[in-house]
Amino acid sequence: FFNNHHDNLQHLITEGLPNTGIMTTYPLGTASVVKNVNGKTFIFIATTQGGPTVLSQANAVLKNEDLFEVMKTFWEQLLDSGCDKIYLPLIGTNKSNTDLTHYESLQIIVLTYLIVSRNKKIANEMTVIIPEFKYDPKDFYNYKKYLDSF
């Protein structure tokens, strides 16, 4: 969607951040909303504590226990967004350098969504994206069992 144009993406992310003044780092869970990119809206989440730019991954670190607060803050920022559908990856399982399993990430995403949306709906539909290279059929049985428990 962004054709490897990192400078433009950095600019769009900066424009989409909450009006907090000029900062080089943002609190965990801060969301930047980038709208109307090929008819899509993208939300970038500050999930790591690291380098001086939003796109820096050099020393990215996310403590496992912080992911819960990151996701809770993220969902709170989306409460009034008017989202119809949300698609998101298994957050905390790739460049965030956590040792969370995919199942643990899914649990955190779902639990924080339920906690934050208990009084007000965030979206009509949520899809968690699991890349093909992370696909394991036995995991999906556990995912389904977990999701069916609600």
Side-chain angles (χ1 to χ4, degrees), residues 48-66:
T48 60
Q49 297 174 348
T53 66
V54 175
L55 296 178
S56 175
Q57 294 293 330
N59 297 310
V61 174
L62 176 63
K63 295 176 189 170
N64 291 358
E65 59 271 16
D66 288 341

Side-chain angles (χ1 to χ4, degrees), residues 122-138:
I122 296 171
N124 292 320
E125 182 180 320
M126 175 177 57
T127 302
V128 178
I129 301 165
I130 302 170
E132 189 174 326
F133 69 90
K134 294 182 180 182
Y135 174 78
D136 186 343
K138 68 179 182 337

Side-chain angles (χ1 to χ4, degrees), residues 7-96:
D7 289 339
N8 185 46
L9 178 55
Q10 180 68 55
H11 175 73
L12 292 171
I13 290 171
T14 302
E15 281 186 348
L17 287 166
N19 189 9
T20 56
I22 297 173
M23 300 172 69
T24 57
T25 59
Y26 294 87
L28 291 175
T30 300
S32 170
V33 179
V34 176
K35 294 185 176 195
N36 299 322
V37 178
N38 298 323
K40 308 274 184 214
T41 297
F42 293 84
I43 301 170
F44 296 88
I45 312 167
T47 60
T48 60
Q49 297 174 348
T53 66
V54 175
L55 296 178
S56 175
Q57 294 293 330
N59 297 310
V61 174
L62 176 63
K63 295 176 189 170
N64 291 358
E65 59 271 16
D66 288 341
L67 183 57
F68 188 88
E69 286 305 315
V70 165
M71 291 309 302
K72 195 167 161 272
T73 302
F74 169 68
W75 294 127
E76 287 167 353
Q77 292 177 71
L78 291 185
L79 274 174
D80 296 315
S81 68
C83 290
D84 182 44
K85 297 179 183 179
I86 297 173
Y87 300 88
L88 70 157
L90 289 170
I91 295 171
T93 63
N94 195 13
K95 293 186 178 186
S96 298

